Structures are given as structure tokens and as C-alpha cells.
């Protein structure tokens, strides 16, 4: 079913009672998170509206894919909720946990990618997810994953500092070392080895999270999901009216090629979605609507375009 989404609830979410099954609590949070993010992105764009594509998966589960296209600010923004299950884990999900290979499984998550039109507004990605693997003769194994990262084309130090400050502040209640650990993990994960550069200026990334028990891990994942727009929207508001022309647009389209390279070569979420028989249109929603590749391109030394390379190696921002 495809429908036009005209408005979304904006109220803050709260976890349901502790007596509710863990997966039910995660589902309630994720569906609310998708609603709230879509509503605030629509408000930031102005005329743009998300269109929902509700889908079902033959082996089990389904999702709600929502895409805003050709808005005033966002050339394309996709915010997906999915809950899928299967009888046997795909290889990409059990590679780090061989003991659970072959188990029945359920995965829930919200994943988004925003590609603004203005080259001075960064591209961004956020994902929060929950996984269960079950067997009749063993306890259920669960874990959380998630994070967010920022990919500017014409970076501003103050924007990157703001981004990482929000990431640090939401992480600190869960341990003084959490931000540093998950920032480093983000830098390492979103690294294009064949290019020798990061995809952007990083943020947070974590996976296989069970440390401290379900309540701590769920609360941290809620904090990441709820904190994402606090990190991103102030940058959008500050940069969306910046004047740009063909030169900036051509460079943005060229750099979007790196986004395509990472997602198709390295991204574990893309691999899991394809291996598990997920919906291809939703899985590849993260790709930019327009992109260009140019053989052996090199920006003019000293140019604004050349300056980007200074930001594509891990560094401490705060």
C-alpha cells in the first residue's frame, strides 16, 4: 500500500511498562521514532512530504518505507521502519557470533539517510536496531546496534563540533568512555579502505551491544535515536539558505559517489538486507538520487573542494 503522509505525531516517546515483552517495547519506540523524525524533517523542509510504502516480506515481517523527494531542502530523505524474521540467520548476522548460526531470528530497526540539495548542508545517516536469535534448546540471544554519522561536502568546524558535542552529551550518562569508544568505532567502520579516507566526519557507531543488560542498552539506543535531530537540524537551519551554484553542485554529486561506494562495498546493513531477502527498494533507499563519477578527479590545490580532504581522517573534535 502506498499513501501520502500528511502529518506525524510530535510528542516525546516513553518506554512502556517494564512488564511488556522487550521486543514489544522496542517496536513501540521505533515506530514512534519514525513518526517523530518524519514530522520534524517535514517541518524543516517546508513543502516536502513523505510518502509511505507499506510492505510485507514473504518469509516473515515487513515494514514502512517513507521517502520525501524533491523537497525545498531535501532532495531525498528516506526513513524506514522494518521488522523482519526468518527461520535461519543469514551469514552476515552470525559472522561475529558463530555459536548462533542457523537460529531463528527477528530484527527490528529504524534507518534513515538524508540527501539535501544544497551542497552546504551535509548528508546524514542514522540507524537504531534490535536483534533476537532464538533456539528451542537455548536462551534467546539479543543485542542492540546503532549510531549516526555526518557527511559534509563543504564542512564548517562549528558544525562538526556541534555534532560531536551532542553525541558526547547523550552518551555520557552511560559511561564516561562511551562517546570515545563509539566515536572511534564509527571512524573505523565508515572508512573506505580502497580510498584511504573516512566517509565523513563520523559520530557514533555500536553493534552487538548487550553490556550492562537490556535496560541500559535499550536506554542508550533510545538516547541515540532521540538525540539525532538535536545534532542534525541546527546544522540544516544554519546552512540551508547558503548560496550555491554549479561548481558546488558538481562537487557534491562527485562526492556522493563515495557514499555509493561505501554502501555497496562495505556496509553490513546493506549486505544483511540483501542476504535476508529484504525489500530491495527499501534497502537501497540510502543511495543518493543523483550522483556522478569522474575518472581521476582531483580538486584544485588550495580550493574549497580540496579542503574537504583535511576532514576525512579521524580526529578529536571536542
Amino acid at each position: 500500500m502506498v499513501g501520502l503522509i500528511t502529518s506525524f505525531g510530535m510528542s516525546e516517546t516513553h518506554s512502556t511498562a517494564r512488564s511488556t515483552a522487550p521486543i514489544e517495547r522496542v517496536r513501540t519506540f521505533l515506530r514512534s521514532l519514525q513518526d517523530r523524525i518524519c514530522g520534524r524533517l517535514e517541518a524543516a523542509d517546508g513543502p516536502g512530504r513523505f510518502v509511505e510504502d507499506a510492505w510485507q516480506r514473504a518469509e516473515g515481517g515487513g515494514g514502512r518505507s517513507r521517502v520525501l523527494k524533491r523537497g525545498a531542502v531535501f532532495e531525498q530523505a528516506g526513513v524506514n521502519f522494518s521488522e523482519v524474521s526468518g527461520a535461519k540467520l543469514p551469514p552476515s548476522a552470525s559472522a561475529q557470533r558463530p555459536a548462533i548460526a542457523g537460529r531463528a531470528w527477528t530484527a527490528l530497526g529504524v534507518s534513515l539517510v538524508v540527501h539535501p540539495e544544497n551542497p552546504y548542508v551535509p548528508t546524514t545517516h542514522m540507524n537504531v536496531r534490535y536483534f533476537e536469535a532464538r533456539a528451542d534448546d537455548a536462551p534467546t540471544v539479543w543485542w542492540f546496534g546503532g549510531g549516526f554519522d555526518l557527511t559534509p561536502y563543504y564542512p564548517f568546524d562549528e558544525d562538526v563540533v556541534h555534532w560531536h558535542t551532542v553525541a558526547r552529551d547523550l552518551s555520557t550518562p552511560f559511561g564516561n568512555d562511551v562517546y570515545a569508544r563509539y566515536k572511534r568505532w564509527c571512524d573505523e567502520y565508515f572508512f573506505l579502505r580502497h580510498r584511504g579516507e573516512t566517509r565523513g566526519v563520523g559520530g557514533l557507531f555500536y553493534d552487538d551491544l548487550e553490556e550492562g543488560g537490556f535496560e541500559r542498552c535499550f536506554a542508550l539506543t533510545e538516547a541515540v535515536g532521540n538525540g539525532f535531530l538535536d545534532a542534525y537540524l541546527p546544522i540544516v537551519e544554519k546552512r540551508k539558505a547558503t548560496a550555491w551554484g554549479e561548481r558546488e553542485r558538481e562537487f557534491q554529486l562527485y562526492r556522493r559517489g563515495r557514499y555509493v561506494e561505501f554502501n555497496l562495498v562495505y556496509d553490513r546493513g546493506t549486505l544483511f538486507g540483501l542476504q535476508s531477502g529484504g525489500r530491495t527498494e527499501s534497502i537501497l533507499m540510502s543511495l543518493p538520487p543523483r550522483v556522478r563519477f569522474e575518472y581521476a578527479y582531483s580538486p584544485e590545490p588550495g580550493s574549497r573542494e580540496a579542503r574537504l580532504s583535511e576532514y576525512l581522517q579521524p580526529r578529536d573534535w571536542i
Side-chain angles (χ1 to χ4, degrees):
M1 179 183 71
V2 178
L4 180 64
I5 308 302
T6 57
S7 63
F8 296 94
M10 301 292 286
S11 61
E12 291 299 314
T13 188
H14 298 280
S15 296
T16 55
R18 291 287 193 268
S19 59
T20 304
I23 201 166
E24 295 282 350
R25 293 173 56 195
V26 175
R27 180 185 301 116
T28 298
F29 165 69
L30 291 174
R31 290 173 69 94
S32 171
L33 180 67
Q34 183 192 33
D35 290 345
R36 290 181 286 115
I37 289 176
C38 288
R40 292 187 63 188
L41 289 176
E42 286 184 345
D45 187 90
R49 291 294 179 268
F50 282 89
V51 172
E52 178 174 293
D53 192 0
W55 52 274
Q56 298 294 318
R57 180 173 168 274
E59 190 177 355
R64 309 186 303 190
S65 297
R66 293 176 178 169
V67 177
L68 183 158
K69 300 198 304 186
R70 295 182 291 276
V73 176
F74 305 122
E75 186 172 8
Q76 181 168 297
V79 184
N80 288 347
F81 165 79
S82 64
E83 179 177 353
V84 295
S85 57
K88 184 177 180 180
L89 279 167
S92 59
S94 58
Q96 305 298 319
R97 296 168 176 260
I100 66 172
R103 287 194 181 193
W105 58 275
T106 300
L108 298 80
V110 166
S111 182
L112 70 84
V113 174
V114 179
H115 292 289
E117 182 177 33
N118 189 324
Y120 288 98
V121 182
T123 287
T124 192
H125 158 262
M126 190 276 291
N127 174 269
V128 283
R129 57 195 178 273
Y130 175 72
F131 211 101
E132 285 188 353
R134 301 175 300 277
D136 293 337
D137 58 351
T140 296
V141 175
W142 59 266
W143 66 90
F144 286 90
F148 51 63
D149 61 286
L150 192 72
T151 304
Y153 307 100
Y154 293 91
F156 296 85
D157 285 12
E158 63 188 280
D159 295 348
V160 184
V161 169
H162 162 77
W163 177 262
H164 280 277
T165 298
V166 173
R168 180 199 61 194
D169 291 349
L170 69 85
S171 302
T172 299
F174 303 95
N176 291 330
D177 65 334
V178 169
Y179 165 72
R181 286 165 52 202
Y182 293 170
K183 176 197 177 296
R184 181 170 58 251
W185 201 344
C186 187
D187 290 337
E188 293 170 352
Y189 180 78
F190 292 105
F191 191 80
L192 286 81
R193 294 187 293 275
H194 64 288
R195 298 286 191 180
E197 64 185 32
T198 56
R199 188 170 77 173
V201 295
L204 300 171
F205 178 87
Y206 61 97
D207 202 3
D208 299 307
L209 179 67
E210 56 185 357
E211 175 187 352
F214 178 87
E215 296 301 337
R216 175 186 179 275
C217 297
F218 185 27
L220 191 155
T221 300
E222 288 180 304
V224 170
N226 291 332
F228 163 73
L229 290 177
D230 295 333
Y232 186 56
L233 286 185
I235 299 173
V236 173
E237 291 301 318
K238 187 176 293 185
R239 306 300 170 196
K240 68 182 183 181
T242 304
W244 56 277
E246 182 180 1
R247 169 178 170 169
E248 290 87 354
R249 178 64 163 169
E250 287 296 300
F251 184 66
Q252 176 201 51
L253 296 181
Y254 171 76
R255 288 300 310 182
R256 280 178 175 180
R258 298 291 202 271
Y259 218 88
V260 173
E261 290 176 25
F262 179 86
N263 282 22
L264 296 184
V265 175
Y266 297 114
D267 187 62
R268 286 173 15 198
T270 301
L271 183 61
F272 170 77
L274 296 175
Q275 286 183 349
S276 63
R279 183 172 183 267
T280 303
E281 285 296 310
S282 299
I283 296 165
L284 299 182
M285 171 217 69
S286 62
L287 300 180
R290 294 187 61 200
V291 63
R292 75 180 186 91
F293 290 87
E294 179 178 338
Y295 178 76
Y297 168 81
S298 181
E300 180 182 347
S303 67
R304 291 172 297 161
E305 291 74 21
R307 180 172 172 267
L308 176 62
S309 64
E310 301 171 11
Y311 291 77
L312 301 182
Q313 298 298 323
R315 72 162 96 166
D316 293 330
W317 287 100
I318 53 176

